[in-house]
């Protein structure tokens, strides 16, 4: 395990390869306008929107921008969030040299939210597999935030690593439902769990507001807070409860990884303790760790410039 403070930067040029791509929408099809929030560009980078059938026939909303022939970065968000978490990656220089893709996980965002469809890891794995194959993503680099670490582990367990270029775990967890899993959750997050999982939507609201306040170390603009709270609230209580009820331990899967792996974590995280990332790195051969001082649970938003530079540099090792 190699602790680092900053990775060397290498910005890749657009790829010249031409994979066979099967899309549910054409590049000129439906566009997503919400990514314009926080865009540094005079004109926001257009985002293509796809509807893809995942495990068990669940309809998944998938968002796709950048160079359609570029190396693919596939972003997987966390608990009670959505694709919008990655807007500072979509609206950045990453979209000039990479193909950037994010989905709304089942139960989140604009994806289907059925009951009884969250306890089987194979379904989560099939969701990622469906996105990768439907969009023709050739050896994507998976970027998983928080609960996204468990979803990536589900994919690895059922589909292996042969079709991936690398993995970036971000403030991630890979265990749930055990004493060890609870030990890497921050005290403030642990105190919210009963309220977050209650079926009473009205009673849950103050707990959701508190949860959103934990996602960043420093205060955020009101427009950002309101946006995050809005899509957090859209996740039904039965989905939150089902995610919290899973019992998984993926150390066996991680030990078999031979791919390049980067593990990033904010040192002021009030949701998942940095101990979780240190554990992930300790069981993965040659994993690299990047720690962010004065940053909380969302380093990709709180210090997006550093995060995007390090992701581009890491990607250069993967392809």
């Amino acid at each position: 395990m190699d602790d680092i403070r900053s990775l060397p930067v290498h910005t890749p040029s657009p790829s010249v390869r031409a994979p066979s791509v099967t899309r549910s929408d054409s590049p000129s099809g439906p566009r997503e306008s919400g990514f314009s929030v926080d865009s540094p560009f005079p004109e926001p980078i257009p985002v293509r929107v796809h509807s893809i059938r995942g495990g068990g026939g669940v309809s998944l909303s998938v968002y796709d921008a950048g160079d359609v022939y570029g190396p693919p970065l596939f972003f997987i968000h966390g608990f009670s969030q959505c694709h919008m978490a990655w807007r500072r990656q979509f609206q950045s220089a990453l979209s000039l040299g990479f193909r950037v893709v994010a989905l709304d996980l089942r139960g989140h965002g604009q994806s289907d939210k059925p009951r009884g469809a969250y306890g089987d890891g194979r379904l989560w794995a099939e969701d990622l597999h469906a996105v990768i194959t439907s969009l023709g993503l050739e050896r994507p680099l998976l970027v998983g935030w928080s609960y996204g670490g468990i979803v990536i582990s589900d994919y690895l367990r059922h589909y292996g690593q042969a079709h991936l270029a690398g993995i970036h775990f971000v403030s991630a967890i890979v265990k749930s439902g055990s004493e060890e899993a609870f030990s890497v959750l921050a005290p403030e997050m642990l105190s919210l769990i009963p309220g977050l999982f209650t079926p009473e939507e009205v009673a849950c609201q103050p707990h959701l507001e508190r949860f959103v306040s934990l996602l960043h170390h420093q205060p955020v603009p009101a427009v950002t807070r309101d946006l995050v709270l809005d899509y957090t609230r859209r996740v039904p209580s039965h989905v939150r409860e089902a995610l919290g009820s899973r019992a998984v331990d993926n150390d066996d899967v991680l030990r078999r990884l031979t791919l390049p792996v980067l593990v990033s974590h904010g040192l002021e995280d009030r949701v998942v303790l940095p101990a979780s990332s240190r554990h992930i790195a300790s069981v993965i051969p040659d994993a690299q760790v990047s720690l962010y001082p004065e940053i909380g649970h969302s380093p990709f938003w709180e210090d997006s410039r550093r995060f995007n530079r390090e992701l581009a540099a890491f990607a250069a090792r993967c392809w």
Side-chain angles (χ1 to χ4, degrees), residues 118-119 147 150-151 154 173-185 197 242-251 276:
Y118 309 95
Y147 195 88
I150 289 180
V151 178
D154 288 330
I173 58 173
V174 293
K175 301 172 184 281
S176 66
S178 66
E179 183 176 345
E180 188 177 4
F182 285 120
S183 73
V184 298
L185 298 182
F197 296 162
L243 267 61
S245 298
R246 290 190 69 189
V248 297
D249 188 319
N250 291 295
D251 283 1
S276 180

Side-chain angles (χ1 to χ4, degrees), residues 22-268:
T22 302
R23 294 184 299 273
S24 53
D25 296 310
S26 69
S28 60
R31 302 297 176 94
E32 167 67 31
S33 60
F35 276 107
S36 61
V37 178
D38 298 320
S39 175
F41 301 115
E43 293 292 331
I45 292 174
V47 178
R48 303 173 285 268
V49 184
H50 311 276
S51 180
I52 293 173
R53 291 290 172 183
V58 167
S59 179
L60 303 170
S61 290
V62 182
Y63 305 82
D64 170 23
D67 180 2
V68 72
Y69 300 115
L73 305 175
F74 185 6
F75 295 92
I76 299 108
H77 66 76
F79 172 83
S80 212
Q81 301 299 286
C82 79
H83 70 281
M84 284 293 294
W86 306 108
R87 58 197 181 278
R88 287 189 168 181
Q89 283 62 62
F90 272 65
Q91 299 298 324
S92 78
L94 291 175
S95 287
L96 305 181
F98 295 96
R99 184 178 187 181
V100 291
V101 175
L103 86 159
D104 287 339
L105 291 173
R106 57 175 55 225
H108 298 71
Q110 299 300 314
S111 293
D112 283 351
K113 303 171 178 65
R115 292 183 178 271
Y118 309 95
D120 184 354
R122 182 174 291 278
L123 292 176
W124 294 94
E126 289 174 356
D127 289 350
L128 298 195
H129 178 71
V131 174
I132 291 169
T133 56
S134 296
L135 297 186
L137 304 183
E138 184 178 341
R139 297 184 64 241
L141 191 166
L142 303 186
V143 184
W145 173 40
S146 200
Y147 195 88
I150 289 180
V151 178
I152 287 176
S153 300
D154 288 330
Y155 176 87
L156 292 170
R157 183 173 299 281
H158 294 285
Y159 287 96
Q161 59 184 308
H163 300 293
L164 304 178
I167 299 173
H168 186 183
F169 290 106
V170 184
S171 309
I173 58 173
V174 293
K175 301 172 184 281
S176 66
S178 66
E179 183 176 345
E180 188 177 4
F182 285 120
S183 73
V184 298
L185 298 182
E188 290 171 282
M189 180 63 188
L190 286 171
S191 70
L192 292 178
I193 287 178
L196 290 176
F197 296 162
T198 179
E200 300 296 331
E201 295 288 356
V202 174
C204 185
Q205 293 311 305
H207 299 278
L208 291 176
E209 292 176 12
R210 180 58 180 158
F211 170 69
V212 167
S213 76
L214 299 180
L215 296 179
H216 308 94
H217 176 52
Q218 299 293 341
V220 299
V223 65
T224 298
R225 182 197 63 232
D226 293 345
L227 174 68
V228 177
L229 184 57
D230 178 65
Y231 60 67
T232 300
R233 285 171 169 166
R234 292 174 183 266
V235 178
S237 59
H238 72 264
V239 175
R240 294 193 300 270
E241 191 278 332
L243 267 61
S245 298
R246 290 190 69 189
V248 297
D249 188 319
N250 291 295
D251 283 1
D252 61 322
V253 171
L254 301 184
R255 287 193 180 98
R256 296 194 294 267
L257 280 176
T258 57
L259 296 172
V261 173
L262 173 63
V263 184
S264 298
H265 213 117
L267 291 175
E268 302 299 331

